């Protein structure tokens, strides 16, 4: 089965749509020559590392940023380079269904049999990941994209991960 995984989305999770507090700082990031303005909280990295260490989990990106998150997001919030789910560009509703469905199929395939926590803001991701055949045991922590990742989300993930090892 392997150790559990904590999967991180970027936009709407680590980068909320609005600045929810003064702890967030504006950053310009230019993956592939396209400039984005992101709100990032430097406290997220240490908190996520602590969560992973306390629960024996591995951190990984589950975002359209893919490996770009290692260059543009990780150093700004205090994370090392992480493995990532290779999520191809959304092909549109005819082939991909919804963004939540598209990401869910790639997340489930990448995680294989490993239990995982997924911090995600797509509104239909919970039902979409649950509908994937043979998906591993998981907890999708639904994030409000206006506020992003909070301490309550981290506690919920920690409680769930610790309950798997008892």
């Amino acid at each position: 089965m392997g150790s559990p995984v904590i999967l991180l989305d970027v936009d709407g999770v680590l980068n909320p749509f609005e600045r929810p507090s003064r702890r967030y700082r504006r950053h310009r990031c230019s993956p592939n020559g396209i400039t984005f303005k992101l709100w990032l909280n430097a406290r997220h990295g240490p908190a996520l590392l602590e969560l992973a260490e306390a629960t024996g989990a591995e951190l990984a990106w589950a975002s359209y940023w893919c490996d770009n998150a290692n260059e543009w997001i990780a150093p700004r919030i205090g994370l090392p380079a992480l493995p990532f789910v290779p999520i191809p560009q959304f092909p549109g509703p005819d082939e991909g269904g919804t963004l939540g469905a598209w990401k869910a199929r790639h997340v489930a395939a990448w995680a294989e049999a490993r239990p995982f926590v997924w911090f995600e803001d797509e509104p239909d991701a919970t039902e979409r990941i649950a509908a994937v055949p043979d998906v591993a045991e998981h907890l999708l922590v639904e994030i409000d994209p206006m506020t992003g990742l909070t301490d309550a989300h981290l506690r919920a993930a920690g409680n769930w991960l610790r309950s798997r090892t008892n």
Side-chain angles (χ1 to χ4, degrees):
M1 178 166 58
S3 62
V5 184
I6 300 168
L7 298 166
L8 307 170
D9 186 22
V10 172
D11 296 317
V13 175
L14 296 175
N15 169 37
F17 295 166
E18 294 183 1
R19 184 182 190 190
S21 77
R22 291 186 179 271
R23 292 182 177 168
Y24 287 78
R25 299 281 179 250
R26 186 60 110 178
H27 296 271
R28 288 182 184 271
C29 302
S30 300
N32 306 316
I34 301 168
T35 300
F36 297 92
K37 294 178 185 175
L38 282 67
W39 290 113
L40 298 174
N41 182 342
R43 295 180 185 189
H44 280 150
L48 288 162
L49 289 169
E50 182 179 318
L51 174 63
E53 184 176 334
T55 59
E58 174 186 359
L59 292 169
W61 300 111
S63 169
Y64 286 109
W65 282 78
C66 293
D67 195 34
N68 283 322
N70 285 321
E71 179 180 353
W72 297 99
I73 308 301
R76 288 168 171 81
I77 63 170
L79 288 176
L82 303 174
F84 62 93
V85 177
I87 302 173
Q89 186 170 349
F90 181 60
D94 289 342
E95 184 181 332
T98 65
L99 283 171
W102 182 249
K103 286 178 81 173
R105 75 178 69 162
H106 294 287
V107 164
W110 186 86
E112 296 178 327
R114 296 171 70 181
F116 62 91
V117 169
W118 184 15
F119 293 116
E120 176 58 60
D121 68 308
E122 285 299 327
D124 68 337
T126 299
E127 68 185 63
R128 297 304 184 151
I129 195 72
V132 175
D134 301 321
V135 66
E137 187 178 17
H138 65 278
L139 172 68
L140 192 141
V141 180
E142 296 180 25
I143 308 292
D144 178 345
M146 299 307 282
T147 57
L149 186 68
T150 66
D151 290 344
H153 298 128
L154 295 168
R155 277 192 303 278
N159 290 340
W160 186 85
L161 287 163
R162 281 187 283 281
S163 76
R164 310 276 79 48
T165 58
N166 296 334

